[in-house]
Amino acid sequence: MEAATVLEGASGCKLKVAEASPADAELPQASPGQGLSSPTPQPLPAVEEHPKIWLPRALRQTYIRKVGDTVNLLIPFQGKPKPRATWTHNGCALDTSHVSVRNGDSDSILFIREAQRADSGRYQLSVQLGGLEATATVHLLVIERPGPPQSVKLVDVWGSNATLEWTPPQDTGNTALLGYTVQKADSKSGLWFTVLERYHRTSCVVSDLIVGNSYAFRVFAENQCGLSETAPITADLAHIQKAAAVYKTKEFTQRDFSEAPKFTQPLADCTTITGYDTQLFCSVRASPRPKITWLKNKTDIQGNPKYRALSRLGICSLEIRKPGPFDGGIYTCKAVNALGEASVDCRVDVKGKIKSTDSQERPGQLAAETSCLFLSIRVGKELTAQVPGTS
């Protein structure tokens, strides 16, 4: 027999039509006189609806499942009378002990309870009705986590950087790798931190390592199922040495604060009253600290108990205790150090006490003088009256 194939693009299946050859027409027909033991050909049922498979859109591309997942493929078809549906795996019959198939009137279900990597491949559904046949193909891919990279090696360490190299894993998990994940761990804390994710090369440079610490590195392989269960760790630690820094200090120039004495606040002339203490003030700036000398009318008065001289933080003061009339004059403050000298003068006037008018004595004196005046006037009048010829 010869078969003609018709493609069904909308449903994703193929329809095969079987035709009779001319040799089949020349075969002798059985006569009615032959014995009852000879088989009688049965007429084929009339095909009311051609077989056709409706492949779901999700199965038109590679169907990916993880190891251990359940595979349940439901594929509807049509045909009248009921067609015969069969499945094959990579062109061979299915293993009924691991894969089960249920065929209904309008669909066929392929079920795998726990998928294994060996279940990957091309599954073909064939629907036959008379001399007509429709086929559909489903590509199943069962994947799992990849194996770890074979080795990780610390190539070089410089500054705060480290160079790593590794080799790809032998088992990629039945699918392409998405990349590698690189992690680092400080020897002090032992905690792992991700440095790179889905890195595609087999060598990298890890930067920004802390000076003075030691690091270990590990690399995971990654595919659609996730990271590999284990990861090789570098045998050597990356010791980030602290570079010997040479600090050059700038030459420090000592500032010379030496200064000859200079009065920033001079003495002020003043007038005082006899018996009241008086103070004279001035301020001087000098380095080194100057020697302060007080003079009165160009005569040194140091050591005189009548005067008290103080000098603190550049402020000079002279106290004149209960000055008298002879304490007035020209007072001089003189500052002397190794760089020079300076002096300031002021004039001090001492006045006597003002005579006080006692409120009790003055009225009595006025009363006595008044009474004497009245008495003299009275006596005068009496004497005038006693002399004759006076008026």
Side-chain angles (χ1 to χ4, degrees), residues 112-254:
I112 303 176
R113 185 174 299 277
E114 293 183 0
Q116 303 298 327
R117 289 177 58 174
D119 296 328
S120 301
R122 180 173 55 87
Y123 288 84
Q124 187 175 43
L125 173 63
S126 176
V127 178
Q128 297 178 354
L129 181 60
L132 302 177
E133 180 182 11
T135 60
T137 304
V138 177
H139 295 276
L140 175 64
L141 180 63
V142 182
I143 62 176
E144 62 180 348
R145 289 188 179 185
Q150 297 184 29
S151 63
V152 178
K153 182 173 62 175
L154 180 64
V155 178
D156 190 15
V157 178
W158 79 99
S160 59
N161 308 298
T163 302
L164 305 177
E165 287 184 356
W166 60 90
T167 54
Q170 294 181 350
D171 183 11
T172 61
N174 203 26
T175 185
L177 293 178
L178 298 179
Y180 300 93
T181 297
V182 182
Q183 295 182 346
K184 67 178 180 179
D186 184 1
S187 59
K188 296 180 181 179
S189 63
L191 301 177
W192 292 97
F193 297 93
T194 301
V195 179
L196 298 172
E197 288 183 319
R198 295 194 176 183
Y199 186 76
H200 297 283
R201 298 181 181 180
T202 57
S203 63
C204 70
V205 176
V206 181
S207 305
D208 299 331
L209 301 177
I210 299 176
V211 176
N213 291 348
S214 299
Y215 291 90
F217 302 92
R218 66 182 182 182
V219 180
F220 291 89
E222 183 180 5
N223 62 7
Q224 294 182 9
C225 289
L227 300 178
S228 57
E229 295 183 357
T230 59
I233 303 176
T234 53
D236 300 329
L237 295 178
H239 303 283
I240 309 302
Q241 302 292 340
K242 185 176 181 180
V246 179
Y247 179 71
K248 296 181 179 180
T249 59
K250 296 181 179 180
E251 296 182 359
F252 178 73
T253 303
Q254 182 70 28

Side-chain angles (χ1 to χ4, degrees), residues 319-384:
E319 181 182 358
I320 305 174
R321 299 175 177 177
K322 298 188 179 196
F326 298 101
D327 291 328
I330 304 299
Y331 285 83
T332 303
C333 181
K334 185 177 181 181
V336 180
N337 67 0
L339 299 178
E341 63 179 33
S343 61
V344 288
D345 302 330
C346 73
R347 184 176 185 85
V348 178
D349 294 330
V350 181
K351 292 185 178 181
K353 291 184 179 180
I354 301 176
K355 293 182 180 181
S356 61
T357 56
D358 191 9
S359 60
Q360 296 179 356
E361 295 179 357
R362 186 66 178 172
Q365 183 179 359
L366 292 175
E369 292 178 355
T370 304
S371 61
C372 291
L373 179 59
F374 288 160
L375 180 60
S376 61
I377 295 174
R378 182 177 180 183
V379 171
K381 287 183 178 181
E382 291 179 353
L383 291 176
T384 303

Side-chain angles (χ1 to χ4, degrees), residues 259 261 286-292 310-314 335-338:
E259 184 180 4
S287 180
R289 183 177 179 180
K291 179 182 179 182
I292 304 300
L310 297 175
S311 178
R312 181 177 177 82
L313 299 177
V336 180
N337 67 0

Side-chain angles (χ1 to χ4, degrees), residues 50-62:
H50 289 186
K52 183 181 292 185
I53 299 175
W54 300 97
L55 189 64
R57 184 179 299 274
L59 300 180
R60 295 179 186 178
Q61 53 189 351
T62 303

Side-chain angles (χ1 to χ4, degrees), residues 17-39:
V17 180
E19 298 179 352
S21 61
D24 296 336
E26 298 178 357
L27 292 176
Q29 300 292 334
S31 61
Q34 292 180 350
L36 297 176
S37 60
S38 61

